Amino acid sequence: MSEVTVSGIALSTNEVTLHDFFGFCGKIKSIDLKEEQGQKSAVVAFEKHSAANTALMLNGGMLDGATLTVTSDTEHADHHDAQEHHHADSIEQSDKPRAGIAAEYLAKGYELSDHILQRAIEIDNKQGISNKFLSYMTNLDKSFGQRALGPDQTISSKVQSTLKGAHTRAKTIDEQKGYSKSAHEYYSKALASPLGQSVLSFYTSTSKQVRDIHEEAIRIKEHKAQPPATAASPAPAPPTAAAPEAQSEPST
């Protein structure tokens, strides 16, 4: 079972709050929240062992002013690639590197100590980044660059003078296909920023420091703070169909 036990939960914390907090780790199957003798604890069951491992990384994290203790009697080995078919155009939350997930927590306003952030880096160093996520990022960089800049181009390798128009052209193509609101919107926009190479390195390399996580958290927070694009900007070609409802953006 991919379960973790959480103790030290604040009395004000409810199941919804716990689900929001641990949902950054991956898909949750169930939460069993109990209160005994004025203390709350919970058993959180995940769909994947990798999600449970991410939850264990959060031991000592803060929620509703309380310091959480996250433990498990089971050793949860990551099964990133052995039994999963790789779809380069989609990922799940549990596929992401731990440092990236930690950055999403910080961007959302949760308190994680630098010790926890260092723990995230160490897990990525030990476990490596899943081939599924690496394929996703590489494919995104290449496909976005090809749509915007031409064959054999990557968006992260271009200078900023080219990127503004390139991002608009590729985004228009994505909107016509219903992609612009999918989970890769943040990544594609980040890759097309002046820090594109740094963003790509952050998500595909295990070589990073705590400050890199803080910097990525700032980028995510700034992206979420931006107002949605309006229809005022002219598009190179009219959309052929309305964009369908798509996935949410990365959990931030």
Side-chain angles (χ1 to χ4, degrees), residues 44-56:
V44 182
F46 296 94
E47 287 190 1
K48 294 185 177 182
H49 289 288
S50 55
N53 268 337
T54 303
L56 291 172

Side-chain angles (χ1 to χ4, degrees), residues 133-145 147-149 153-160 162-164 166-167 170 184-204 216 219 223:
F133 188 84
L134 289 173
S135 297
Y136 166 80
M137 289 297 291
T138 301
N139 180 70
L140 178 62
D141 193 25
K142 289 181 178 179
S143 62
F144 201 82
R147 294 195 303 275
L149 302 168
Q153 301 294 319
T154 60
I155 201 71
S156 65
S157 65
K158 292 301 174 182
V159 296
Q160 180 61 17
T162 306
L163 290 178
K164 184 175 181 181
H167 185 269
H184 69 213
E185 184 178 5
Y186 166 70
Y187 296 122
S188 62
K189 189 170 184 179
L191 289 175
S193 74
L195 299 174
Q197 287 283 11
S198 296
V199 172
L200 185 64
S201 176
F202 178 85
Y203 284 101
T204 59
E216 176 60 12
R219 286 193 290 266
H223 171 74

Side-chain angles (χ1 to χ4, degrees), residues 53-114:
N53 268 337
T54 303
L56 291 172
M57 175 190 82
L58 300 172
N59 182 41
M62 300 287 293
L63 180 62
D64 292 338
T67 301
L68 302 179
T69 299
V70 187
T71 60
S72 178
D73 294 331
T74 305
E75 183 175 348
H76 303 284
D78 282 359
H79 301 295
H80 276 316
D81 308 303
Q83 300 176 350
E84 293 187 1
H85 179 68
H86 297 166
H87 296 282
D89 58 348
S90 64
I91 53 169
E92 296 181 12
Q93 184 69 13
S94 56
D95 296 321
K96 298 177 182 178
R98 269 49 179 236
I101 294 175
E104 292 178 2
Y105 271 102
L106 295 178
K108 190 68 175 179
Y110 292 113
E111 295 183 36
L112 299 183
S113 67
D114 284 353

